[in-house]
Structures are given as C-alpha cells and as structure tokens.
Amino acid sequence: MTTLTGSQPSEDTGTQWDVVVVGGAGHVGLPLSIALAARGARVLVCDISETAVAMVNAGKLPFLEDGAEPELARALDSGRLRATTDPASAGTAETVIVVIGTPVDEHLNPDPHAIPTSLADVSGHMRSGQLVILRSTVYPGVTQLVERTFANRGLDLDVAFCPERIAEGHAMTELYSLPQIVGARSDRVHKRAAEVFRILTDKIVELDPEEAELAKLFTNNWRYLKFAASNQFYMIANSHGLDFERIRAALAEDYPRAQDLPGAGFAAGPCLFKDTMQLAAFNDNNYFLGHSAMLVNEGLPLYVVQQLEAKHDLSELTVGILGMAFKAQSDDIRSSLSYKLKRILNFRAKRVLCTDPYVTVDADLVPLETVLAEADLLVVGAPHQQYRDLQPDTPVADVWGLLGGGVRV
Ligand SMILES: NC(=O)c1ccc[n+]([C@@H]2O[C@H](COP(=O)([O-])OP(=O)(O)OC[C@H]3O[C@@H](n4cnc5c(N)ncnc54)[C@H](O)[C@@H]3O)[C@@H](O)[C@H]2O)c1
C-alpha cells in the first residue's frame, strides 16, 4: 500500500487521518472512502447530511452499492474510517477530496460556483500545504476557480482535478480496476495526487486540469450519445413494426465495429443528462448532437405513451410501471425517466400503479403483486432482474426487451 504522509491528529478522536472526503457519505464519496480505507488509508468522511453520517458510523450504507457494506464494517472495526458533520475535519488530513453533487438547475444551467460555495464552510479550517482533490464532475474552469478562491483567502493549496468514473453499483470493483485520471498543473501536484490514487491502482493517466475536466464530460456525453442512437433506432424500427433487439443482435453478431451499440432503454440518472447539459452550457449552447440526444432520450417515455395510446384508450385503463429506479438493480431514483413516465400517465391514464423492489424512498409504491393483479397495461420502467421471468396476461410495453417474447410497444 502507498502510505500518505503529513496528517495531523483530529481534536475529537485523536486519530491521524490521511484523507478527509467532503461529501463522503454520498453515492461516489462513500465507496471511494471505503475503498481507500480497505487499502489501509485512514479516512474521515465529512458530510452535511446528519442522517447519512449516522448511518455510516452505524455501518449502514445509505444506498445500495454492491459489496460495499461488508467493507464498511471492516473499515469501521479497524478504526480506519469514521464519518462526521464537523467542517473543522477538513483541516485534519494532508489530503482533502471533494465529491459533493453538481446538479444543473431547473433551467438546465450548471452552477460553476457550487463547489467553491460549498467549500466556504470547510475552507476556514484548511491550512496552506494541503492537497485538495476535486472528484465531482465539474463545469470546465471550476478547478481554476477553486484555485483562485483559495488564493483569495490566503491559502496556498495544491489543487488537482481527478474525476470519478465508476458506474453506480460497480464502484467496489471499478475503483480498483479503472485507470485514474489525474489533472494537475505541476509535476509536484501530479505526484501528490497520483500518490493518493496509487492506493487503489497503478494505472494513473496525467492531464492538465482543463483537459481532465473535459475528459470526464466527454466520457459521460459519449455514453449518453450512444444511448440516444440506440433509442432513436429503436423508435424507427418499432414504428415500422420491426423488432429492434432482433436487428441489433443480428448486426452485432461477429461484427466487431458494432459491439458497442447498446440496447434501447430509459437513459437517465444523476449524471449523463446533466453532464450533457454542462457541456452544452460550456460551449455556449452550440452542441446540436448533445441537445438532439437529450430530445431523443428524454422523449422516449412520451413515445411509449403515444404508442400505447394508438392501441388503447388510456383514460379507461390502469397502467402499471415496473421499476422506478433509473437503472437495473438500483435504488436510485434521481432523474429516473420512470417518474417522467408516471407524470405523463397520471394525466392521461385512469390510474397509475408503480412498484420497485429496491426503492425505499417513495411511499406511493405498491407491491408487484398488486400491480400485476390490478393493471390493464404494464410498462417496464427499470429492467430489474425480478421482472425477467414474468409472464403477465396483460400487454407489456417493454422498451428494454427484458421480457423476451413480451408484447412490444
Ligand atoms: N453517482 C454516480 O454514479 C457518479 C459517478 C461519477 C461521478 N459522479 C459525480 O460525483 C459527484 C457526486 O455525486 P453523487 O451521486 O455522489 O452525489 P450525492 O448527492 O449522492 O452525494 C453528495 C454528498 O455531498 C454531501 N454534501 C453536499 N454539500 C456538502 C457540503 N457543503 N459539505 C459536505 N458534504 C456535502 C451530500 O450530503 C451528499 O451526501 C457529482 O458531481 C456527480 O456528477 C457521480
């Protein structure tokens, strides 16, 4: 294991922490904190959510993440991980990793000041010489803004931008297997930030901060564009009475250049859409490809409803949505298109029933059995494995192609 040097004992526990992770109880910060602790680093999680901090200290994950809970228990037992809401914790380690959320607002504008503003509380406790690693996905230029903000407060800090690239649910393997991009302005900062990520992997890729900021946005935008291509192809095939999944399987068979054509489905969640909007805003909204992808992906629930309406009088029917999370085997409903579908159907159908075996934060959900018993039509919202073998008597709109042989929209 790479060891980190220069930490100072924190006042509350007397522990010497190697890393403080600000936003460390979130979907990205917590797996990262756990992985660093699992490899021997002493990690203090700092988060404004009292509930999440209490859960972490009690060994409970505030959300689903495969394989993370046993590792959290081990890290707590070994004393290598604790969580706190105390902003003063930011001064207790040599390295501060910042991984707070960076959503776009209701008008799809990114907020470049989100990170500098959220650092206001902790920066009063920071000291010159610390290394600050920005891990959130940021609007390009934010690293420089943070550097300037610290300098204006008289703090001489090393700042690096090292984007998180895991997919939710796969963090506990991908944190050790994916190369880590380290964006820094000098050899010294590159070396310091690389030393932190060498705890996880030897695969370090060096860039300037501005290159690294775009590298992260291009990564997520590329994925969003690919989903849009598939969803557009799906709508074309389906509107002509053809089976997209059958066509996709055929064109990809033993054909290397088409292996990366994804299946159709709701392309949603907390990152891909908002990072496409971040890139659009960065390029003064001259981003036709990104905006087209947004129209296609966000339009898919409407397409499903239109197709249902072409065959059924929805105003007389109960529609059931199977799966409200934004993706399979997840409890995360952030920016889930199942909820957009629900809003549209609430207006057009007689009744809407929603179910999800993973989601715990929505009191309106009903058991699967209720949906199967009472719905006249079903729509697969999230392709959870639990639905794969269903053979309902009612017609199913199945954009994902999950229920082989199910009725397609
Ligand atoms: N979720 C993903 O799969 C994923 C993957 C790669 C990158 N990212 C990026 O990582 C960042 C974080 O995303 P997330 O999904 O973990 O968000 P999240 O909302 O799950 O976590 C953010 C955490 O930050 C805390 N927080 C907010 N303001 C704070 C402050 N001032 N001080 C301390 N804590 C604060 C919140 O309480 C929360 O626990 C975003 O920029 C996102 O785009 C997310």
Side-chain angles (χ1 to χ4, degrees):
M1 185 210 83
T2 308
T3 48
L4 302 174
T5 50
S7 59
Q8 298 196 347
S10 67
E11 280 176 20
D12 53 346
T13 60
T15 308
Q16 283 203 312
W17 301 105
D18 297 310
V19 181
V20 172
V21 182
V22 177
H27 289 78
V28 161
L30 188 52
L32 176 65
S33 302
I34 293 170
L36 289 170
R39 291 282 173 100
R42 292 157 301 179
V43 183
L44 186 55
V45 164
C46 169
D47 203 289
I48 52 171
S49 167
E50 287 180 11
T51 316
V53 163
M55 286 182 78
V56 172
N57 283 331
K60 299 216 174 322
L61 232 60
F63 43 81
L64 287 179
E65 183 61 55
D66 227 18
E69 207 156 78
E71 289 293 342
L72 172 61
R74 274 192 277 278
L76 288 167
D77 284 350
S78 67
R80 285 199 300 272
L81 189 145
R82 286 288 177 277
T84 177
T85 54
D86 182 3
S89 59
T92 60
E94 190 65 13
T95 300
V96 179
I97 299 178
V98 181
V99 65
I100 63 156
T102 49
V104 291
D105 71 12
E106 69 273 33
H107 306 294
L108 306 181
N109 296 310
D111 177 6
H113 294 280
I115 295 211
T117 305
S118 69
L119 284 174
D121 272 354
V122 291
S123 65
H125 305 279
M126 293 173 75
R127 55 198 156 78
S128 291
Q130 283 182 296
L131 169 68
V132 176
I133 295 175
L134 304 180
R135 187 76 166 164
S136 306
T137 307
V138 300
Y139 183 77
V142 163
T143 309
Q144 194 179 41
L145 188 61
V146 168
E147 287 168 333
R148 273 201 239 118
T149 310
F150 284 136
N152 290 342
R153 290 181 186 149
L155 283 168
D156 183 11
L157 299 172
D158 283 343
V159 180
F161 174 70
C162 308
E164 181 58 79
R165 296 193 298 163
I166 56 98
E168 265 183 48
H170 303 277
M172 297 318 295
T173 50
E174 292 191 346
L175 278 165
Y176 304 115
S177 63
L178 294 180
Q180 295 290 336
I181 292 177
V182 171
R185 232 172 271 296
S186 71
D187 286 348
R188 188 189 68 233
V189 185
H190 266 130
K191 201 161 158 277
R192 284 186 80 184
E195 194 187 349
V196 174
F197 288 105
R198 276 217 187 84
I199 296 173
L200 302 176
T201 177
D202 287 332
K203 291 182 257 176
I204 306 288
V205 184
E206 289 191 1
L207 285 177
D208 294 340
E210 287 68 32
E211 292 172 331
E213 290 171 342
L214 276 186
K216 173 61 195 181
L217 287 184
F218 287 167
T219 304
N220 277 6
N221 275 252
W222 176 230
R223 202 159 153 73
Y224 196 63
L225 295 175
K226 284 206 280 193
F227 286 141
S230 282
N231 286 334
Q232 182 87 78
F233 294 161
Y234 167 83
M235 289 187 261
I236 291 171
N238 191 70
S239 293
H240 288 80
L242 297 168
D243 183 337
F244 170 68
E245 201 43 46
R246 201 171 129 82
I247 299 167
R248 184 175 80 98
L251 72 86
E253 188 169 323
D254 292 336
Y255 192 73
R257 286 181 291 282
Q259 295 306 309
D260 60 348
L261 181 65
F266 290 162
C271 291
L272 301 188
F273 171 65
K274 68 105 174 155
D275 290 339
T276 304
M277 294 305 102
Q278 292 213 83
L279 188 57
F282 176 62
N283 208 39
D284 297 330
N285 273 348
N286 292 313
Y287 186 26
F288 305 115
L289 207 52
H291 282 127
S292 300
M294 183 254 268
L295 294 176
V296 172
N297 288 331
E298 290 286 307
L300 192 53
L302 280 156
Y303 174 82
V304 170
V305 174
Q306 279 167 2
Q307 295 291 304
L308 288 174
E309 280 183 326
K311 294 179 190 148
H312 307 275
D313 178 3
L314 292 185
S315 65
E316 296 294 322
L317 301 176
T318 296
V319 183
I321 304 179
L322 306 177
M324 301 307 288
F326 85 86
K327 67 174 183 178
Q329 282 75 255
S330 168
D331 62 349
D332 194 347
I333 60 167
R334 292 178 296 171
S335 302
S336 167
L337 284 174
S338 293
Y339 281 89
K340 183 168 186 167
L341 178 69
K342 181 186 176 190
R343 274 194 300 278
I344 302 163
L345 288 171
N346 269 339
F347 188 62
R348 302 198 194 180
K350 183 171 145 202
R351 192 161 70 118
V352 185
L353 294 173
C354 303
T355 187
D356 193 297
Y358 299 100
V359 174
T360 54
V361 292
D362 182 349
D364 292 336
L365 300 188
V366 297
L368 174 62
E369 297 69 39
T370 310
V371 176
L372 294 178
E374 296 183 24
D376 305 301
L377 288 175
L378 295 168
V379 182
V380 181
H384 296 319
Q385 62 200 6
Q386 287 85 341
Y387 307 141
R388 196 175 289 277
D389 298 325
L390 289 181
Q391 292 182 322
D393 298 329
T394 42
V396 188
D398 181 13
V399 170
W400 305 88
L402 182 73
L403 285 70
V407 176
R408 291 173 179 279
V409 181

